[in-house]
Amino acid sequence: MEKRKLSLYDICNMSFGYLGIQMGFALQNANASRILQIFGADVHSLSWFWIVAPLTGLIVQPIIGHYSDRTWTRFGRRKPYFLIGSVLAAFGLIFMPLSAALTAFMPALWVGAGMLMIMDASFNIAMEPFRALVADLLPSDQRTLGFSVQTIMIGLGAVIGSWLPYALSNWFGISNEALPGEVPYHLILSFIIGAAVLIGAVLWTVSTTKEYSPAELEAFDKAKGIVHEEESSSLMNIFADFKNMPTTMKQLGWVQFFSWFALFGMWVFATPAIAHHVYNLPLEDTSSKTYQEAGDWVGIIFGVYNAISAIFAFFLPYIAKKIGRKSTHTFSLIVGGIGLISVYFAPSPNWLILSMVGVGIAWASILAMPYAILSGSIPAKKMGVYMGIFNFFIVIPQIINAIIGGPIVKYVYGGNPIYAIVASGVAFLIAALFVSRVKDEDDTIKI
């Protein structure tokens, strides 16, 4: 008994909700630091506000994975979780830029930080089941395609989200100026549009995708010779699963650690680094028109790397088939590292587009290759919890970067955040070195 092959149309429907999720996530990544600075955060404290993202992921994703493995409702197994997560994320998206209107309760900066926490927790609730859904529904020889299509959806959603503030301001004439301490209207409107698209995209996946029942998934495992012993549904099982994680997951952990350490540094420090190093603004400038233009341009170049990732994802299955998934991932990380390091040498804002081409190639591979490699070493019955546990290797490096990133910028880099971007490029190169240690169970090409 084997899982049926799905058409490209069905695979796209399965991952369409991720387009909406990533649109909201991109709005957060490109603009959260900017909004927090508008509300009064200084550049050295930004990473502390961002720490809620990996902390909530560390706690939420394994729990969601554990329970989604054991959930079966008339709506399905994974779908109830990413539907609930999307509704909560939309709430955070709407109210983060409107935090100044809630100052009767607490300062705008703390309201904004609270909304960032709600968004982070909610995105984590929604994202993990989408990863598990691909592994649930596709046979092994379609998983690279499935995760690549998911990467394309992620890229398209992120391009729309990243470019939306710039488009509203420059193409539709909506003001990008505001008084000190206030969020420009084009940002507020962008977040509201992002919330609406998020809900609509997830509802499309929910209405068009049918999941296998737990009994069917167990039959697929039995056909592969995998027999599961009965166990309780206690959360304590997560610790046992962590202890017994597959060797491939442990090896991928180091690759993920340095990859996501790099990404977190880029997301947190891109706006102040580019405003200061490329636009030559003083670090304390967080409200001038030029600063808002720099922030909008960060959204544009973030959209560029996501657009490149969506394009490159089309070729990932072909490249991986020719040279192997490990070689594909190694190459992509090296190109991404070079791209981030080149930001330091950018003579003008337009140069950053070329830098982000390299980042986009790395991002496409990061979103697809580790999961395609990992899924071949995990039994279907535990796909959700192990995808959640795998998230440890994503959030722990972000937590570490959140704790040490600000002090390093302040005391080691002399207050200049551009060196945090360079350090992120070096981290990508280190991640590429660790790929050689990974054992890919399902890859037909062994290196």
Side-chain angles (χ1 to χ4, degrees):
M1 185 177 182
E2 296 181 355
K3 297 175 185 177
R4 66 182 180 90
K5 289 184 180 293
L6 298 186
S7 68
L8 182 60
Y9 177 75
D10 289 332
I11 294 174
C12 289
N13 285 340
M14 179 198 316
S15 293
F16 189 72
Y18 226 137
L19 183 149
I21 292 172
Q22 195 63 32
M23 180 176 174
F25 195 54
L27 281 165
Q28 171 189 296
N29 285 344
N31 299 289
S33 288
R34 177 184 180 182
I35 291 172
L36 293 174
Q37 283 191 287
I38 289 172
F39 290 150
D42 62 56
V43 66
H44 311 122
S45 64
L46 283 177
S47 63
W48 289 90
F49 289 102
W50 278 78
I51 198 172
V52 295
L55 276 176
T56 53
L58 184 68
I59 298 168
V60 170
Q61 287 217 12
I63 295 174
I64 294 300
H66 172 84
Y67 281 114
S68 69
D69 281 341
R70 292 162 172 76
T71 295
W72 184 254
T73 71
R74 66 189 186 93
F75 299 106
R77 186 188 194 195
R78 313 292 183 187
K79 291 189 288 186
Y81 290 92
F82 52 70
L83 181 58
I84 292 170
S86 67
V87 171
L88 295 174
F91 176 85
L93 280 168
I94 292 171
F95 284 101
M96 184 180 186
L98 294 174
S99 297
L102 304 175
T103 53
F105 302 98
M106 62 181 69
L109 178 59
W110 293 105
V111 176
M115 292 302 160
L116 178 61
M117 181 178 67
I118 290 173
M119 279 192 292
D120 286 324
S122 304
F123 284 134
N124 277 297
I125 292 171
M127 286 180 180
E128 191 281 333
F130 264 105
R131 291 292 188 195
L133 186 67
V134 171
D136 284 346
L137 300 189
L138 295 180
S140 178
D141 60 353
Q142 279 195 309
R143 284 177 182 166
T144 299
L145 173 63
F147 286 116
S148 296
V149 168
Q150 196 170 85
T151 300
I152 292 167
M153 294 296 177
I154 289 170
L156 291 175
V159 169
I160 297 169
S162 298
W163 287 0
L164 188 56
Y166 181 93
L168 291 178
S169 175
N170 291 272
W171 301 346
F172 297 96
I174 296 173
S175 176
N176 68 346
E177 298 183 56
L179 297 173
E182 295 183 2
V183 177
Y185 181 63
H186 78 307
L187 265 188
I188 295 174
L189 185 58
S190 296
F191 274 61
I192 292 172
I193 293 172
V197 173
L198 167 59
I199 296 296
V202 169
L203 285 175
W204 179 267
T205 289
V206 169
S207 63
T208 59
T209 302
K210 182 180 179 181
E211 298 185 67
Y212 288 117
S213 70
E216 289 174 310
L217 290 172
E218 186 172 356
F220 295 141
D221 273 351
K222 285 183 178 178
K224 294 168 63 177
I226 301 173
V227 180
H228 302 282
E229 296 180 2
E230 290 295 324
E231 62 180 14
S232 69
S233 60
S234 171
L235 275 175
M236 294 299 103
N237 290 336
I238 293 177
F239 296 101
D241 291 332
F242 184 87
K243 179 181 178 181
N244 298 320
M245 75 173 69
T247 300
T248 298
M249 183 185 291
K250 297 176 184 177
Q251 295 165 340
L252 280 168
W254 288 105
V255 180
Q256 294 291 84
F257 181 94
F258 287 100
S259 298
W260 287 89
F261 188 94
L263 290 167
F264 188 83
M266 180 186 71
W267 291 332
V268 172
F269 294 109
T271 296
I274 289 170
H276 177 64
H277 187 72
V278 180
Y279 283 79
N280 300 311
L281 294 175
L283 287 172
E284 59 271 15
D285 183 352
T286 60
S287 60
S288 70
K289 182 175 177 60
T290 304
Y291 174 81
Q292 299 300 345
E293 290 173 353
D296 287 347
W297 190 247
V298 169
I300 289 295
I301 64 172
F302 274 23
V304 167
Y305 88 69
N306 280 290
I308 294 299
S309 77
I311 295 169
F312 189 63
F314 278 107
F315 301 98
L316 277 175
Y318 175 79
I319 297 171
K321 186 176 181 180
K322 290 294 184 181
I323 67 173
R325 292 188 286 213
K326 290 170 57 176
S327 293
T328 301
H329 198 40
T330 299
F331 165 79
S332 302
L333 290 171
I334 291 172
V335 172
I338 294 171
L340 278 180
I341 293 170
S342 72
V343 172
Y344 180 84
F345 302 98
S348 68
N350 288 336
W351 174 272
L352 299 173
I353 294 175
L354 183 60
S355 299
M356 290 299 115
V357 170
V359 174
I361 290 172
W363 181 232
S365 191
I366 289 168
L367 291 174
M369 288 299 106
Y371 297 95
I373 294 170
L374 176 66
S375 60
S377 65
I378 299 175
K381 191 173 182 179
K382 289 186 174 289
M383 192 64 68
V385 69
Y386 273 124
M387 285 292 181
I389 290 173
F390 192 53
N391 194 56
F392 287 175
F393 302 115
I394 294 174
V395 299
I396 290 174
Q398 293 182 70
I399 292 171
I400 293 173
N401 199 335
I403 293 171
I404 68 175
I408 288 177
V409 168
K410 184 175 183 179
Y411 297 111
V412 179
Y413 302 152
N416 192 342
I418 189 61
Y419 296 111
I421 304 300
V422 174
S424 292
V426 173
F428 268 152
L429 299 180
I430 296 172
L433 292 175
F434 276 102
V435 175
S436 63
R437 301 177 58 188
V438 176
K439 180 180 180 181
D440 187 351
E441 301 284 353
D442 276 350
D443 206 353
T444 56
I445 299 176
K446 306 298 181 183
I447 62 172

